[in-house]
Amino acid sequence: MIRVALVDDQALFRAGVRMLVDSQPDLEVVAEASDGQQALAVVRAARPDVVLMDIRMPVMDGLAATAELLRDADPPRIVMLTTFDLDEAAARAIREGASGFLLKDADPEFLLAAIRTVHAGSAVIAASATRELFAHFADAAPRPVPAAYGELTDREREIFALAARGLSNAEIAAREYLSEATVKTHISRILTKLGLRDRVQLVVFAFEHGLA
């Protein structure tokens, strides 16, 4: 069972998402909060796997709450909820470790798929959207490339570049004439070598170091 927490200041929105999530045999809502301050307490008490976190809330916003929770020893996966397609706040949250963002008017099936995807650890929520987001809000001056990047093999760098452009495993496999399983193995090695958690973090790394 995938345990989900909902954090949003609109009770009606939370009720709708709760009904949707609880209708699934493999998902359950274990906690709700109406602001970031409440979220810290309920998330730490309930220990959900995935948190759907609104960005704009009273008392403490979703950015501050996300930053706090991600400092915990074993944090949940956090997906930001936003009403804006290109949202600088979402870019900041992802840079700080959130696993992606969803538009509040996303199709119900997409929201459910996103929860499962993030729980599985792939965090490929709109990697292409993440790329577009960072292209829009990226810092002007890239940071120096870490030494760890130099440890990637030539093949890993090729796959890194494609993943940084937002291509899926299937798309990379087709372009490079590889199996999806092989691409998945390469991606896993790249993430390990660079100390990254998921594909979204890979996109962020590429932008921040001028590799995108």
Side-chain angles (χ1 to χ4, degrees):
M1 202 63 133
I2 301 173
R3 296 159 53 80
V4 180
L6 306 176
V7 184
D8 193 285
D9 60 333
Q10 296 178 333
L12 193 60
F13 180 79
R14 290 201 314 273
V17 175
R18 175 187 272 278
M19 203 178 301
L20 175 67
V21 171
D22 283 345
S23 72
Q24 304 298 300
D26 60 331
L27 306 176
E28 66 172 334
V29 174
V30 296
E32 286 188 41
S34 60
D35 63 61
Q37 193 71 57
Q38 281 185 14
L40 299 183
V42 301
V43 168
R44 285 165 175 162
R47 301 193 62 75
D49 301 303
V50 178
V51 178
L52 300 179
M53 178 83 73
D54 189 20
I55 289 180
R56 291 166 179 81
M57 294 180 292
V59 186
M60 177 187 280
D61 67 22
L63 290 178
T66 295
E68 283 277 334
L69 290 171
L70 291 175
R71 281 197 280 269
D72 289 353
D74 186 21
R77 298 274 177 168
I78 300 177
V79 179
M80 310 308 294
L81 298 171
T82 177
T83 51
F84 302 105
D85 204 348
L86 289 175
D87 191 334
E88 188 171 10
R92 281 173 53 205
I94 292 167
R95 186 177 271 124
E96 289 167 11
S99 293
F101 72 97
L102 281 172
L103 294 178
K104 281 185 151 188
D105 62 357
D107 289 339
E109 289 304 316
F110 186 77
L111 185 143
L112 294 172
I115 293 171
R116 295 183 178 107
T117 300
V118 166
H119 179 254
S122 348
V124 289
I125 293 182
S128 56
T130 304
R131 178 183 164 78
E132 188 179 350
L133 187 73
F134 273 82
H136 200 72
F137 296 114
D139 296 331
R143 301 178 189 174
V145 178
Y149 181 76
E151 296 174 13
L152 300 185
T153 65
D154 289 344
R155 173 58 102 182
E156 286 169 350
R157 288 190 193 196
E158 289 173 14
I159 290 173
F160 171 93
L162 295 172
R165 286 168 51 191
L167 273 65
S168 67
N169 285 356
E171 290 168 331
I172 295 172
R175 285 182 64 125
E176 298 294 303
Y177 303 102
L178 299 169
S179 70
E180 280 192 57
T182 300
V183 172
K184 191 174 180 180
T185 299
H186 278 305
I187 293 287
S188 178
R189 285 180 184 152
I190 291 166
L191 294 178
T192 299
K193 286 183 179 180
L194 298 179
L196 304 174
R197 196 172 59 187
D198 53 45
R199 296 280 288 264
V200 169
Q201 294 287 293
L202 185 152
V203 174
V204 175
F205 180 96
F207 266 98
E208 290 191 332
H209 298 99
L211 299 168

